[in-house]
Amino acid sequence: MMRTALTIAGSDSGGGAGIQADLKTFAAHGTYGTSAITAVTAQNTIGVTMFETLSPQLVRAQIEAVVTDIGVNAAKTGMLPTAAIVETVAAAISDFAIPFVVVDPVMIAKSGDRLLDDDAVAAMKSALLRVAYVVTQNIPEAEALTGVVSHTDSDR
């Protein structure tokens, strides 16, 4: 039986990040990939020029559609740009008992563009991290989530 993974993230028009990258990774590992889009970005290798956020209700409906028909063995989050979306995703993970949730707290694009507002960071700390199996943060994200600032190479 083929395993199914759900990516809950933004759509990257350049194909190098977001749901596009996640689906490529799932396929490379023999996993059937499904998605729930949280935002649509206009981006390329240089940066993010614009993005629009989908409604929390539509994000939840996408998750529910996948879980109740196809099923989900694991999930990975990415860009969750608002507190309402973070809280909706955390609730859906709990409500549908989605196991093995990888939280990638996408806060800043590689180009330096901020993708998450302050309320969303707070919601991530209070709601989403509780349902995570693993968190794949980078150093700036770890600092934002923990409030602990890394000062030297040995701190990192």
Side-chain angles (χ1 to χ4, degrees):
M1 181 176 129
M2 183 175 271
R3 295 282 188 195
T4 301
L6 169 64
T7 174
I8 307 167
S11 176
D12 170 11
S13 57
I19 64 160
Q20 286 82 353
D22 290 343
L23 292 172
K24 290 173 192 176
T25 302
F26 296 165
H29 291 279
T31 300
Y32 182 76
T34 60
S35 62
I37 298 172
T38 60
V40 176
T41 69
Q43 75 184 87
N44 54 29
T45 60
I46 299 167
V48 178
T49 57
M50 184 178 174
F51 72 87
E52 287 198 22
T53 303
L54 276 67
S55 73
Q57 297 83 0
L58 182 54
V59 173
R60 168 117 184 167
Q62 292 175 83
I63 295 167
E64 185 172 351
V66 170
V67 171
T68 59
D69 176 38
I70 299 165
V72 174
N73 299 110
K76 179 194 172 288
T77 67
M79 180 184 179
L80 306 175
T82 67
I85 288 177
V86 172
E87 291 163 357
T88 296
V89 168
I93 289 166
S94 293
D95 293 347
F96 297 115
I98 298 173
F100 307 112
V101 176
V102 176
V103 172
D104 183 357
V106 176
M107 297 179 178
I108 301 169
K110 285 186 175 137
S111 59
D113 297 295
R114 188 172 173 93
L115 302 172
L116 205 66
D117 66 31
D118 290 337
D119 290 342
V121 174
M124 190 170 287
K125 292 194 292 191
S126 67
L128 190 61
L129 295 183
R130 296 175 193 268
V131 297
Y133 181 74
V134 66
V135 181
T136 60
Q137 75 284 342
N138 59 31
I139 291 170
E141 292 164 345
E143 291 174 347
L145 291 170
T146 65
V148 177
V149 178
S150 177
H151 297 286
T152 66
D153 287 343
S154 64
D155 292 338
R156 295 173 187 238

